[in-house]
Short mmCIF file of all heavy atoms in Angstrom, two decimals:
data_model
loop_
_atom_site.label_atom_id
_atom_site.label_comp_id
_atom_site.label_asym_id
_atom_site.label_seq_id
_atom_site.Cartn_x
_atom_site.Cartn_y
_atom_site.Cartn_z
N THR A 1 26.20 -25.65 11.69
CA THR A 1 26.74 -25.83 13.08
C THR A 1 25.70 -26.53 13.86
O THR A 1 24.51 -26.01 14.02
CB THR A 1 27.18 -24.56 13.74
OG1 THR A 1 28.14 -23.90 12.91
CG2 THR A 1 27.76 -24.89 15.11
N VAL A 2 26.03 -27.66 14.43
CA VAL A 2 25.05 -28.28 15.28
C VAL A 2 25.47 -28.05 16.75
O VAL A 2 26.70 -28.06 17.10
CB VAL A 2 25.04 -29.90 14.99
CG1 VAL A 2 26.40 -30.51 15.35
CG2 VAL A 2 23.97 -30.58 15.86
N SER A 3 24.50 -27.86 17.58
CA SER A 3 24.76 -27.61 18.99
C SER A 3 23.62 -28.18 19.85
O SER A 3 22.56 -28.66 19.23
CB SER A 3 24.98 -26.15 19.19
OG SER A 3 23.74 -25.47 18.87
N LYS A 4 23.74 -28.19 21.10
CA LYS A 4 22.66 -28.77 22.02
C LYS A 4 22.68 -28.12 23.22
O LYS A 4 23.71 -27.58 23.81
CB LYS A 4 22.75 -30.24 22.10
CG LYS A 4 24.02 -30.76 22.70
CD LYS A 4 23.95 -32.30 22.71
CE LYS A 4 25.35 -32.91 23.28
NZ LYS A 4 25.23 -34.32 23.29
N ASP A 5 21.48 -28.09 23.84
CA ASP A 5 21.28 -27.48 25.22
C ASP A 5 20.78 -28.62 25.98
O ASP A 5 19.64 -29.04 25.89
CB ASP A 5 20.27 -26.40 25.16
CG ASP A 5 20.14 -25.68 26.56
OD1 ASP A 5 20.23 -26.32 27.56
OD2 ASP A 5 20.05 -24.40 26.53
N ASN A 6 21.66 -29.12 26.94
CA ASN A 6 21.25 -30.33 27.76
C ASN A 6 20.09 -30.03 28.67
O ASN A 6 19.29 -30.83 28.86
CB ASN A 6 22.39 -30.82 28.46
CG ASN A 6 23.58 -31.45 27.62
OD1 ASN A 6 23.27 -31.94 26.56
ND2 ASN A 6 24.77 -31.38 27.98
N THR A 7 20.03 -28.75 29.23
CA THR A 7 19.03 -28.45 30.14
C THR A 7 17.69 -28.46 29.47
O THR A 7 16.63 -28.86 30.03
CB THR A 7 19.32 -27.10 30.79
OG1 THR A 7 20.51 -27.13 31.51
CG2 THR A 7 18.22 -26.69 31.75
N LYS A 8 17.65 -27.86 28.21
CA LYS A 8 16.40 -27.76 27.47
C LYS A 8 16.14 -29.05 26.74
O LYS A 8 15.09 -29.15 26.13
CB LYS A 8 16.39 -26.63 26.47
CG LYS A 8 16.54 -25.28 27.29
CD LYS A 8 16.54 -24.16 26.16
CE LYS A 8 16.61 -22.78 26.94
NZ LYS A 8 16.54 -21.69 25.93
N ARG A 9 17.07 -30.04 26.66
CA ARG A 9 16.88 -31.25 25.93
C ARG A 9 16.63 -30.87 24.44
O ARG A 9 15.71 -31.45 23.82
CB ARG A 9 15.79 -32.06 26.46
CG ARG A 9 16.06 -32.51 27.89
CD ARG A 9 17.16 -33.46 28.10
NE ARG A 9 17.01 -34.15 29.37
CZ ARG A 9 17.45 -33.68 30.65
NH1 ARG A 9 18.00 -32.42 30.64
NH2 ARG A 9 17.30 -34.45 31.66
N THR A 10 17.36 -29.87 24.01
CA THR A 10 17.21 -29.48 22.65
C THR A 10 18.47 -29.40 21.72
O THR A 10 19.42 -28.96 22.27
CB THR A 10 16.59 -28.12 22.64
OG1 THR A 10 15.26 -28.01 23.27
CG2 THR A 10 16.33 -27.51 21.19
N VAL A 11 18.39 -29.95 20.56
CA VAL A 11 19.49 -29.88 19.69
C VAL A 11 19.13 -28.90 18.51
O VAL A 11 18.06 -28.87 18.05
CB VAL A 11 19.84 -31.26 19.16
CG1 VAL A 11 18.69 -31.89 18.36
CG2 VAL A 11 21.12 -31.23 18.22
N TYR A 12 20.16 -28.18 18.15
CA TYR A 12 19.94 -27.13 17.14
C TYR A 12 20.84 -27.39 15.88
O TYR A 12 21.82 -28.11 15.88
CB TYR A 12 20.36 -25.78 17.66
CG TYR A 12 19.59 -25.32 18.93
CD1 TYR A 12 20.21 -25.68 20.18
CD2 TYR A 12 18.38 -24.83 18.92
CE1 TYR A 12 19.60 -25.32 21.34
CE2 TYR A 12 17.68 -24.48 20.12
CZ TYR A 12 18.33 -24.71 21.28
OH TYR A 12 17.69 -24.37 22.48
N LEU A 13 20.35 -26.86 14.76
CA LEU A 13 21.18 -26.88 13.58
C LEU A 13 21.05 -25.38 13.01
O LEU A 13 20.08 -25.06 12.45
CB LEU A 13 20.64 -27.86 12.48
CG LEU A 13 21.46 -27.95 11.27
CD1 LEU A 13 22.88 -28.49 11.55
CD2 LEU A 13 20.77 -28.90 10.19
N GLN A 14 22.13 -24.67 13.13
CA GLN A 14 22.29 -23.33 12.44
C GLN A 14 22.84 -23.63 11.12
O GLN A 14 23.95 -24.12 10.86
CB GLN A 14 23.31 -22.55 13.26
CG GLN A 14 23.53 -21.19 12.72
CD GLN A 14 22.30 -20.21 12.70
OE1 GLN A 14 21.61 -20.25 13.72
NE2 GLN A 14 21.91 -19.64 11.59
N MET A 15 22.04 -23.09 10.11
CA MET A 15 22.40 -23.27 8.64
C MET A 15 22.63 -21.90 8.10
O MET A 15 21.76 -21.12 8.08
CB MET A 15 21.29 -24.03 7.94
CG MET A 15 20.97 -25.38 8.55
SD MET A 15 19.93 -26.39 7.58
CE MET A 15 18.43 -25.45 7.72
N ASN A 16 23.74 -21.65 7.58
CA ASN A 16 24.13 -20.39 6.95
C ASN A 16 24.42 -20.66 5.50
O ASN A 16 24.70 -21.76 5.12
CB ASN A 16 25.33 -19.76 7.63
CG ASN A 16 24.99 -19.35 9.14
OD1 ASN A 16 23.88 -19.08 9.42
ND2 ASN A 16 26.04 -19.51 9.94
N SER A 17 24.44 -19.57 4.78
CA SER A 17 24.85 -19.65 3.31
C SER A 17 24.00 -20.72 2.57
O SER A 17 24.57 -21.50 1.73
CB SER A 17 26.28 -19.83 3.17
OG SER A 17 27.00 -18.81 3.72
N LEU A 18 22.71 -20.80 2.84
CA LEU A 18 21.84 -21.88 2.19
C LEU A 18 21.80 -21.70 0.71
O LEU A 18 21.72 -20.56 0.21
CB LEU A 18 20.54 -21.74 2.88
CG LEU A 18 20.47 -22.37 4.31
CD1 LEU A 18 19.23 -21.94 4.98
CD2 LEU A 18 20.60 -23.90 4.29
N GLN A 19 21.72 -22.78 0.10
CA GLN A 19 21.64 -22.84 -1.39
C GLN A 19 20.54 -23.78 -1.76
O GLN A 19 20.00 -24.53 -0.95
CB GLN A 19 22.95 -23.42 -1.90
CG GLN A 19 24.18 -22.60 -1.67
CD GLN A 19 24.09 -21.16 -2.17
OE1 GLN A 19 23.68 -20.91 -3.35
NE2 GLN A 19 24.43 -20.28 -1.35
N PRO A 20 19.99 -23.61 -2.97
CA PRO A 20 18.85 -24.45 -3.39
C PRO A 20 19.03 -25.94 -3.15
O PRO A 20 18.07 -26.66 -2.91
CB PRO A 20 18.75 -24.07 -4.94
CG PRO A 20 19.15 -22.66 -5.01
CD PRO A 20 20.45 -22.63 -4.05
N GLU A 21 20.26 -26.40 -3.35
CA GLU A 21 20.49 -27.79 -3.15
C GLU A 21 20.29 -28.28 -1.70
O GLU A 21 20.32 -29.44 -1.37
CB GLU A 21 21.80 -28.30 -3.67
CG GLU A 21 23.02 -27.38 -3.16
CD GLU A 21 23.39 -26.26 -4.03
OE1 GLU A 21 22.48 -25.63 -4.64
OE2 GLU A 21 24.61 -26.03 -4.12
N ASP A 22 20.19 -27.31 -0.72
CA ASP A 22 19.93 -27.63 0.60
C ASP A 22 18.43 -27.94 0.89
O ASP A 22 18.01 -28.24 1.97
CB ASP A 22 20.38 -26.54 1.53
CG ASP A 22 21.88 -26.33 1.49
OD1 ASP A 22 22.64 -27.36 1.63
OD2 ASP A 22 22.32 -25.19 1.42
N THR A 23 17.59 -27.73 -0.16
CA THR A 23 16.15 -27.85 0.02
C THR A 23 15.94 -29.34 0.34
O THR A 23 16.32 -30.23 -0.45
CB THR A 23 15.42 -27.52 -1.28
OG1 THR A 23 15.62 -26.07 -1.44
CG2 THR A 23 13.98 -27.86 -1.19
N ALA A 24 15.19 -29.64 1.43
CA ALA A 24 14.94 -31.01 1.85
C ALA A 24 14.05 -30.93 3.14
O ALA A 24 13.90 -29.82 3.69
CB ALA A 24 16.28 -31.72 2.08
N VAL A 25 13.62 -31.99 3.43
CA VAL A 25 13.00 -32.30 4.81
C VAL A 25 14.10 -32.61 5.76
O VAL A 25 14.85 -33.54 5.46
CB VAL A 25 11.84 -33.30 4.85
CG1 VAL A 25 11.33 -33.44 6.24
CG2 VAL A 25 10.80 -32.98 3.83
N TYR A 26 14.18 -31.93 6.80
CA TYR A 26 15.25 -32.10 7.88
C TYR A 26 14.72 -32.79 9.02
O TYR A 26 13.70 -32.45 9.57
CB TYR A 26 15.96 -30.80 8.19
CG TYR A 26 16.84 -30.20 7.22
CD1 TYR A 26 16.38 -29.71 6.06
CD2 TYR A 26 18.25 -30.30 7.36
CE1 TYR A 26 17.21 -29.28 5.04
CE2 TYR A 26 19.14 -29.72 6.35
CZ TYR A 26 18.58 -29.27 5.20
OH TYR A 26 19.44 -28.81 4.27
N TYR A 27 15.36 -33.92 9.41
CA TYR A 27 14.89 -34.72 10.44
C TYR A 27 15.88 -34.77 11.56
O TYR A 27 17.01 -34.94 11.48
CB TYR A 27 14.74 -36.25 9.96
CG TYR A 27 13.72 -36.38 8.84
CD1 TYR A 27 14.10 -36.37 7.51
CD2 TYR A 27 12.41 -36.73 9.26
CE1 TYR A 27 13.14 -36.53 6.61
CE2 TYR A 27 11.44 -36.90 8.21
CZ TYR A 27 11.78 -36.75 6.92
OH TYR A 27 10.92 -36.94 5.81
N CYS A 28 15.30 -34.73 12.79
CA CYS A 28 16.06 -34.87 14.03
C CYS A 28 16.07 -36.43 14.27
O CYS A 28 15.17 -37.22 14.10
CB CYS A 28 15.34 -34.22 15.20
SG CYS A 28 16.24 -34.22 16.72
N TYR A 29 17.28 -36.86 14.83
CA TYR A 29 17.54 -38.27 15.08
C TYR A 29 18.21 -38.50 16.47
O TYR A 29 19.06 -37.74 16.84
CB TYR A 29 18.47 -38.80 13.97
CG TYR A 29 18.97 -40.25 14.29
CD1 TYR A 29 18.21 -41.35 14.06
CD2 TYR A 29 20.26 -40.47 14.79
CE1 TYR A 29 18.67 -42.60 14.37
CE2 TYR A 29 20.72 -41.77 15.01
CZ TYR A 29 19.98 -42.74 14.81
OH TYR A 29 20.31 -44.05 15.08
N LEU A 30 17.74 -39.55 17.08
CA LEU A 30 18.38 -39.95 18.34
C LEU A 30 18.46 -41.54 18.41
O LEU A 30 17.42 -42.15 18.04
CB LEU A 30 17.54 -39.52 19.47
CG LEU A 30 17.94 -40.05 20.93
CD1 LEU A 30 19.25 -39.54 21.37
CD2 LEU A 30 16.80 -39.66 21.91
N ARG A 31 19.59 -41.95 18.76
CA ARG A 31 19.74 -43.37 18.97
C ARG A 31 19.75 -43.62 20.53
O ARG A 31 20.79 -43.22 21.10
CB ARG A 31 20.97 -44.01 18.33
CG ARG A 31 21.09 -45.49 18.51
CD ARG A 31 22.28 -46.03 17.73
NE ARG A 31 22.35 -47.47 17.78
CZ ARG A 31 21.66 -48.34 16.94
NH1 ARG A 31 20.83 -47.78 16.04
NH2 ARG A 31 21.75 -49.62 17.06
N ALA A 32 18.72 -44.26 21.02
CA ALA A 32 18.69 -44.34 22.43
C ALA A 32 18.91 -45.72 22.88
O ALA A 32 19.68 -46.51 22.16
CB ALA A 32 17.17 -44.01 22.89
N TYR A 33 18.41 -46.16 23.95
CA TYR A 33 18.66 -47.51 24.52
C TYR A 33 17.40 -48.39 24.56
O TYR A 33 17.34 -49.33 25.39
CB TYR A 33 19.40 -47.49 25.93
CG TYR A 33 20.67 -46.79 25.89
CD1 TYR A 33 20.85 -45.40 26.16
CD2 TYR A 33 21.85 -47.42 25.47
CE1 TYR A 33 22.06 -44.74 26.09
CE2 TYR A 33 23.06 -46.83 25.39
CZ TYR A 33 23.15 -45.44 25.72
OH TYR A 33 24.42 -44.85 25.60
N ASP A 34 16.54 -48.08 23.75
CA ASP A 34 15.31 -48.89 23.67
C ASP A 34 15.37 -49.91 22.56
O ASP A 34 16.42 -49.96 21.86
CB ASP A 34 14.11 -47.91 23.39
CG ASP A 34 13.94 -46.82 24.42
OD1 ASP A 34 14.06 -47.22 25.59
OD2 ASP A 34 13.75 -45.68 24.02
N ASN A 35 14.26 -50.65 22.42
CA ASN A 35 14.28 -51.73 21.37
C ASN A 35 12.94 -51.46 20.58
O ASN A 35 11.89 -51.87 21.11
CB ASN A 35 14.32 -53.02 21.97
CG ASN A 35 14.55 -54.18 20.86
OD1 ASN A 35 14.76 -53.88 19.81
ND2 ASN A 35 14.14 -55.41 21.32
N PRO A 36 13.04 -50.99 19.36
CA PRO A 36 14.14 -50.50 18.69
C PRO A 36 14.67 -49.19 19.22
O PRO A 36 13.99 -48.43 19.76
CB PRO A 36 13.67 -50.28 17.24
CG PRO A 36 12.27 -49.96 17.37
CD PRO A 36 11.79 -50.83 18.58
N PRO A 37 15.96 -48.91 18.97
CA PRO A 37 16.60 -47.68 19.62
C PRO A 37 16.49 -46.41 18.95
O PRO A 37 16.72 -45.34 19.45
CB PRO A 37 18.07 -48.19 19.67
CG PRO A 37 18.26 -49.00 18.49
CD PRO A 37 16.98 -49.84 18.35
N ASP A 38 16.12 -46.45 17.61
CA ASP A 38 16.19 -45.27 16.83
C ASP A 38 14.89 -44.50 16.90
O ASP A 38 13.85 -44.95 16.76
CB ASP A 38 16.46 -45.71 15.31
CG ASP A 38 17.76 -46.29 15.15
OD1 ASP A 38 18.70 -45.90 15.77
OD2 ASP A 38 17.82 -47.30 14.30
N TYR A 39 15.03 -43.22 17.09
CA TYR A 39 13.89 -42.26 17.10
C TYR A 39 14.15 -41.09 16.08
O TYR A 39 15.27 -40.64 15.87
CB TYR A 39 13.79 -41.64 18.58
CG TYR A 39 13.23 -42.54 19.57
CD1 TYR A 39 14.19 -43.29 20.26
CD2 TYR A 39 11.91 -42.73 19.82
CE1 TYR A 39 13.67 -44.18 21.29
CE2 TYR A 39 11.44 -43.57 20.78
CZ TYR A 39 12.36 -44.41 21.54
OH TYR A 39 11.90 -45.20 22.40
N TRP A 40 13.03 -40.89 15.40
CA TRP A 40 13.04 -39.83 14.44
C TRP A 40 11.98 -38.75 14.67
O TRP A 40 10.83 -39.15 15.05
CB TRP A 40 12.86 -40.34 13.01
CG TRP A 40 13.96 -41.24 12.51
CD1 TRP A 40 13.99 -42.56 12.68
CD2 TRP A 40 15.14 -40.88 11.78
NE1 TRP A 40 15.14 -43.04 12.07
CE2 TRP A 40 15.91 -42.03 11.54
CE3 TRP A 40 15.57 -39.64 11.36
CZ2 TRP A 40 17.11 -42.00 10.81
CZ3 TRP A 40 16.86 -39.60 10.64
CH2 TRP A 40 17.54 -40.86 10.44
N GLY A 41 12.23 -37.60 14.35
CA GLY A 41 11.12 -36.51 14.28
C GLY A 41 10.33 -36.70 13.08
O GLY A 41 10.78 -37.45 12.18
N HIS A 42 9.29 -35.94 13.00
CA HIS A 42 8.54 -36.05 11.69
C HIS A 42 9.08 -35.17 10.65
O HIS A 42 8.63 -35.20 9.48
CB HIS A 42 7.08 -35.55 12.02
CG HIS A 42 6.40 -36.44 13.00
ND1 HIS A 42 6.06 -37.74 12.61
CD2 HIS A 42 5.87 -36.30 14.21
CE1 HIS A 42 5.38 -38.35 13.62
NE2 HIS A 42 5.32 -37.49 14.58
N GLY A 43 10.09 -34.36 10.89
CA GLY A 43 10.73 -33.62 9.87
C GLY A 43 10.15 -32.18 9.76
O GLY A 43 9.05 -31.84 10.04
N THR A 44 11.01 -31.27 9.42
CA THR A 44 10.70 -29.87 9.02
C THR A 44 11.20 -29.47 7.66
O THR A 44 12.36 -29.79 7.38
CB THR A 44 11.22 -28.97 10.18
OG1 THR A 44 10.79 -27.69 9.92
CG2 THR A 44 12.70 -28.97 10.26
#
């Protein structure tokens, strides 16, 4: 489940029933209005 808190400027990903195939680096993404517009986190 993805959700966000606008006040905190934070987006969340609640992950349940995780399985080994879910193993990965997870990245946050935002498409803004800059040039280039794409922003990525460093991953967790």
